[in-house]
Amino acid sequence: MVQPPAGGDAPHDGFRPARLTIGVISAGRVGTALGAALERADHVVAACSAVSAASRRRAAQWLPDTAILPVDEVPSRAELLLLAVPDAELPALVSGLAATGAVRPNTIVAHTSGANGIAVLAPLTEQGCLPLAIHPAMTFAGTDEDVDRLRGTCFGITAADEIGYAIAQSLVLEIGGEPFRVREDARTLYHAALAHSANHLVTVVLDAVEALRAALWGQELLGQQMIDDNPGGVAERIVGPLARASLENALQRGQAALTGPVARGDAAAVARHLQALTEVDPEVAQSYRDNARRTAQRAHAPQAVFDVLSETGQ
């Protein structure tokens, strides 16, 4: 069995891990935010990799005392090796580290991929490393707020045994996060659910903002700025409170949060919406149609609504 690293005192009742020396591959948005959060919890990020100019700037800002090293030199400095690369790059990185013997046995190796569990770390696990999947259910914008957002964020963790879960849970709790377990065989479904909520929410909101801009284009509202294409303008200020309230209602009230013409069964209003959106952007109209159809299913809308939303009802 892999033992926890000997750097510092032993964990207290399985809750507080020893102070760890950490290596981060790489200093992207997630890696630097997690590295900075772990340093706030008194761990030490001794080394990181940073290839691009943007990642070097992030490392200089958030990890100013950390050595920037080539990828294959980072693991030698680490008791905890954090692999914060995109999902598609993770298997090749793990294989390369294993092939070169760069990671010492007994190193805790944690990746931040949402779609992967610990199976992807098998080449390093076979060399005596302790594998962890620690995924923050949060979007990172590369801004100063990223580190602060981790406090209160939920983290999906997967480990090989109870020792691994104890370490992962303790690390998450230390930075103010909320850990929860995700089965190895459920990682893809878990990741799909998060992508559906976060990524598609952005698409829907931005489509709505663009449609609202088209409706108000060229007008000056109560002496405010003119409607234009710049983000953060009047259109966003109109949509923002409504979208935020809808999200909160959905999270707090569930199905009862559904409102609007589809939920009310107002097929005539839905038809007018589709016509207006089609005149501005047929692709946005199609997105409205698809989302409205799913809303109609949830709301058990009358058949007249489904008829309007059918492809033949265009």
Side-chain angles (χ1 to χ4, degrees):
M1 179 182 296
V2 177
Q3 297 298 319
D9 298 330
H12 299 292
D13 299 325
F15 178 77
R16 185 178 178 86
R19 301 304 88 199
L20 297 173
T21 302
I22 299 170
V24 178
I25 304 175
S26 63
R29 297 176 181 179
V30 179
T32 50
L34 285 174
L38 287 166
E39 285 210 325
R40 288 182 180 181
D42 297 327
H43 298 286
V44 177
V45 179
C48 70
S49 66
V51 177
S52 69
S55 63
R56 287 180 174 272
R57 285 194 299 270
R58 279 191 290 266
Q61 178 180 0
W62 290 109
L63 304 169
D65 299 322
T66 299
I68 298 178
L69 301 175
V71 170
D72 60 348
E73 295 181 20
V74 172
S76 65
R77 306 281 188 99
E79 295 168 316
L80 166 61
L81 182 63
L82 187 64
L83 308 181
V85 298
D87 293 359
E89 297 177 15
L90 184 59
L93 172 61
V94 171
S95 296
L97 291 173
T100 59
V103 187
R104 297 171 298 179
N106 289 329
T107 300
I108 303 169
V109 180
H111 71 70
T112 60
S113 166
N116 289 283
I118 61 170
V120 70
L121 298 174
L124 294 174
T125 305
E126 293 166 1
Q127 295 182 354
C129 297
L130 191 154
L132 300 176
I134 304 178
H135 174 250
M138 176 53 62
T139 183
F140 294 84
T143 63
D144 294 350
E145 290 78 23
D146 284 348
V147 178
D148 294 330
R149 283 198 185 109
L150 290 174
R151 185 169 295 278
T153 290
C154 293
F155 286 71
I157 61 175
T158 304
D161 53 31
E162 290 304 315
I163 291 177
Y165 276 115
I167 293 172
Q169 290 169 353
S170 297
L171 289 169
V172 171
L173 288 169
E174 281 193 313
I175 63 176
E178 179 181 347
F180 62 95
R181 297 189 182 194
V182 182
R183 299 189 321 272
E184 178 76 20
D185 64 352
R187 293 291 297 202
T188 299
L189 179 59
Y190 156 74
H191 192 240
L194 296 186
H196 190 38
S197 66
N199 304 154
H200 300 165
L201 177 63
V202 172
T203 299
V204 169
V205 169
L206 293 184
D207 278 352
V209 166
E210 290 181 6
L212 185 57
R213 284 175 181 161
L216 303 177
W217 192 263
Q219 298 186 48
E220 185 176 355
L221 304 180
L222 300 177
Q224 302 178 55
Q225 70 189 77
M226 301 290 285
I227 300 294
D228 55 31
D229 288 329
N230 295 320
V234 175
E236 286 83 355
R237 294 200 294 277
I238 295 170
V239 169
L242 174 62
R244 292 186 190 99
S246 296
L247 176 59
E248 287 301 318
N249 286 341
L251 296 176
Q252 295 175 13
R253 301 179 61 210
Q255 186 77 8
L258 280 177
T259 62
V262 173
R264 293 194 299 269
D266 190 343
V270 174
R272 291 193 295 271
H273 287 180
L274 286 169
Q275 181 178 354
L277 288 169
T278 300
E279 292 173 358
V280 173
D281 188 334
E283 292 184 356
V284 173
Q286 184 59 48
S287 177
Y288 178 102
R289 186 187 303 276
D290 294 338
N291 281 283
R293 186 180 294 112
R294 179 61 183 139
T295 301
Q297 293 168 346
R298 278 194 167 278
H300 304 290
Q303 185 60 42
V305 172
F306 287 96
D307 291 343
V308 168
L309 294 171
S310 68
E311 296 297 332
T312 56
Q314 297 184 42

